[in-house]
Amino acid sequence: MLRNELEEIKREHPDGLEIQTGSCRFCGQMAQIETLLPWPQEKLDEAATEMCKCGAAQNYASRKKRVEKAKRTIERQFGKYLLGTAVELLKTAVDLIEEDLIDSLTLDAGNGLKAKISITRKGSIKVEKTETRKEAQEA
């Protein structure tokens, strides 16, 4: 999230930061944002929204954080097993689930590997990896 990026910039470069202004996309609250280099207005507004204390902005920030966490989990669990397009499909499913357009997605990648992305009753996004192995020997 941009909030973390801003905190890191402040730690690394305490001097020479440029103050820019962004506004919350929900309530319009203005925020001063210290950046190293000039940012586009869209990115400033996104950072201001993430830092705003209004209910809509806090809900937006928590949803965004949940989506980012689920996408990192997908990359970690499936990045080395699936092709890039399949991983991107799973990440797209996260967006669709968060927007309430689908309930879940199951991907059977073959070779006993399945991925399932769904939402729990508590509202978190569940990333499930199932590997089925069968071994038989005759003596």
Side-chain angles (χ1 to χ4, degrees), residues 12 40 81:
E12 292 177 1
Y81 299 109

Side-chain angles (χ1 to χ4, degrees), residues 45-64:
D45 292 342
E46 181 71 16
T49 301
E50 288 181 10
M51 293 188 295
C52 187
K53 300 294 182 199
C54 75
Q58 288 182 334
N59 182 39
Y60 171 79
S62 70
R63 291 177 70 162
K64 182 177 177 181

Side-chain angles (χ1 to χ4, degrees), residues 1 4 21 41 45 75 88 93 119 138:
M1 292 183 58
N4 299 338
T21 305
Q41 190 62 44
D45 292 342
E75 192 65 45
E88 289 305 313
I119 194 154
E138 288 187 27

Side-chain angles (χ1 to χ4, degrees), residues 12-23:
E12 292 177 1
H13 307 281
D15 300 330
L17 294 178
E18 187 174 318
I19 295 177
Q20 294 182 275
T21 305
S23 64

Side-chain angles (χ1 to χ4, degrees), residues 6 95 98 106:
L6 286 171
D95 293 328
E98 185 60 41
T106 302

Side-chain angles (χ1 to χ4, degrees), residues 7-134:
E7 290 172 5
E8 188 174 318
I9 288 171
K10 286 179 187 178
R11 274 193 309 272
E12 292 177 1
H13 307 281
D15 300 330
L17 294 178
E18 187 174 318
I19 295 177
Q20 294 182 275
T21 305
S23 64
C24 174
R25 70 169 62 166
F26 299 103
C27 69
Q29 177 71 36
M30 301 296 283
Q32 289 187 336
I33 299 163
E34 295 177 292
T35 62
L36 192 57
L37 300 170
W39 279 4
Q41 190 62 44
E42 182 178 294
K43 194 171 181 180
L44 291 167
D45 292 342
E46 181 71 16
T49 301
E50 288 181 10
M51 293 188 295
C52 187
K53 300 294 182 199
C54 75
Q58 288 182 334
N59 182 39
Y60 171 79
S62 70
R63 291 177 70 162
K64 182 177 177 181
K65 188 176 180 180
R66 182 172 48 233
V67 165
E68 288 176 358
K69 184 178 177 184
K71 288 181 179 183
R72 281 192 310 269
T73 302
I74 287 170
E75 192 65 45
R76 189 177 65 250
Q77 286 187 352
F78 298 103
K80 58 184 172 185
Y81 299 109
L82 299 176
L83 296 174
T85 52
V87 171
E88 289 305 313
L89 174 65
L90 294 173
K91 289 179 181 180
T92 301
V94 168
D95 293 328
L96 295 173
I97 287 169
E98 185 60 41
E99 293 169 12
D100 233 4
L101 297 173
I102 63 173
D103 290 330
S104 67
L105 177 108
T106 302
L107 175 72
D108 187 346
N111 298 329
L113 180 65
K114 288 185 181 181
K116 183 174 181 182
I117 314 295
S118 60
I119 194 154
T120 65
R121 292 180 190 252
K122 293 180 182 178
S124 57
I125 298 172
K126 183 177 180 181
V127 178
E128 198 174 338
K129 176 180 166 186
T130 306
E131 291 181 88
T132 305
R133 289 205 168 124
K134 186 174 182 179

